Amino acid sequence: MNQFSRTELLFGKEAMARLAASHVAVFGIGGVGGYTAEALARSGVGTLTLVDDDRICLTNINRQIFATRKTVGQFKTDAAEERLKDISPNLQIIKRKCFYTPENADEFDFSQYDYIVDAVDTVSAKLALAENAQAAGVPIIACMGAGNKLDPTRFEVADIYETSVCPLAKVMRYECRKRGIRQLKCVYSKEPAMKPIENDENSCKHHCICPPDTKRTCEIRRQVPGSNAFVPSVAGLIIAGEVLKDLAFGG
């Protein structure tokens, strides 16, 4: 018996061996990607590359699994490594303290990955990930908008060209078509986004408390979305489930 025995009861021994030999890259380990990374670690994936340049902020605690009072100010990749190694000591973790962009895309060798998770929040980064994954022939799954939403039951898994309602998915459909991206598996919600109840007192744009040396502070963001503990986490776990099933049984 081992810590993955309960998973093996459902997946089988051969599938668990495939997971142990798999290398998954998670781009963005915040509200969505953090839950994805932890679920992959708890399920026996052998190697994770974690890509994020951000430090944990006090305002991350409401939704990010690696965010606690103790980890505020730490790089997300460092906090993630400590927690995930405590969960799965044999897990191999590769940390990349950077924000993936079209400009630094050449620094990543996509051929080493068995699966890519896009949990970043900028269109340019998402498109670069999709383009490079397609060029390398590596499966990828992308998360669309999870902010400003309250109903975790509204998430669906579909190809980007089959999505609807989600504004981010609409932009991605248009841009993917322009770039010849033939398909892009994604998790998206049909719940219309709420308008944040933002004012001068509660807005991070006016009262940013990001840790020192944070590269992308709240003041420079067009809008700081509302969030909660139960919507991004569900999106992240759905993504993890899709990755695990595809790796274990072939997608």
Side-chain angles (χ1 to χ4, degrees), residues 3-242:
Q3 71 182 73
F4 305 119
S5 296
R6 295 292 185 93
T7 308
E8 186 175 324
L9 290 175
L10 297 174
F11 281 40
K13 191 170 184 176
E14 291 184 4
M16 296 305 296
R18 285 192 287 272
L19 292 179
S22 294
H23 184 174
V24 180
V26 183
F27 289 80
I29 53 171
V32 173
Y35 277 88
T36 300
E38 177 149 328
L40 296 177
R42 288 184 183 276
S43 301
V45 168
T47 305
L48 291 177
T49 287
L50 306 177
V51 186
D52 202 307
D53 71 336
D54 209 1
R55 293 178 183 268
I56 292 173
C57 175
L58 183 68
T59 61
N60 296 154
I61 291 177
N62 80 320
R63 70 195 181 282
Q64 297 189 16
I65 198 164
F66 304 129
T68 66
R69 292 277 179 161
K70 178 183 176 181
T71 62
V72 166
Q74 294 182 18
F75 280 104
K76 291 180 180 178
T77 50
D78 291 340
E81 179 182 40
E82 181 177 357
R83 179 176 168 94
L84 297 182
K85 291 289 283 186
D86 195 38
I87 292 168
S88 181
N90 293 326
L91 174 66
Q92 300 299 308
I93 296 178
I94 301 166
K95 297 181 295 184
R96 301 292 300 270
K97 290 186 175 75
C98 67
F99 184 77
Y100 186 85
T101 67
E103 289 70 36
N104 65 11
D106 291 342
E107 299 174 13
F108 291 81
D109 177 12
F110 276 43
S111 65
Q112 68 183 303
Y113 308 135
D114 297 297
Y115 217 109
I116 295 164
V117 173
D118 160 20
V120 299
D121 54 11
T122 65
V123 172
S124 60
K126 287 181 173 295
L127 290 169
L129 285 170
E131 285 184 302
N132 286 295
Q134 178 173 278
V138 179
I140 181 172
I141 185 167
C143 187
M144 297 296 110
N148 295 329
K149 301 192 176 186
L150 284 177
D151 188 349
T153 70
R154 302 291 294 276
F155 282 110
E156 297 184 9
V157 179
D159 186 80
I160 190 65
Y161 296 112
E162 298 171 354
T163 58
S164 60
V165 180
C166 175
L168 176 57
K170 180 179 180 180
V171 173
M172 288 294 293
R173 286 197 306 271
Y174 175 76
E175 295 294 338
C176 283
R177 191 172 287 111
K178 277 176 52 178
R179 288 164 171 74
I181 298 171
R182 298 182 297 275
Q183 60 183 22
L184 177 61
K185 189 176 187 178
C186 66
V187 172
Y188 78 105
S189 173
K190 288 184 176 179
E191 178 189 5
M194 299 175 63
K195 183 177 181 180
I197 309 168
E198 185 178 28
N199 55 51
D200 289 348
E201 293 182 1
N202 67 12
S203 173
C204 293
K205 288 180 68 65
H206 304 292
H207 306 282
C208 180
I209 56 172
C210 288
D213 302 324
T214 298
K215 295 181 179 178
R216 290 170 285 113
T217 59
C218 297
E219 293 102 326
I220 67 172
R221 302 182 69 169
R222 186 175 62 182
Q223 183 193 68
V224 178
S227 61
N228 52 65
F230 48 87
V231 171
S233 56
V234 169
L237 293 174
I238 291 172
I239 289 172
E242 292 297 312

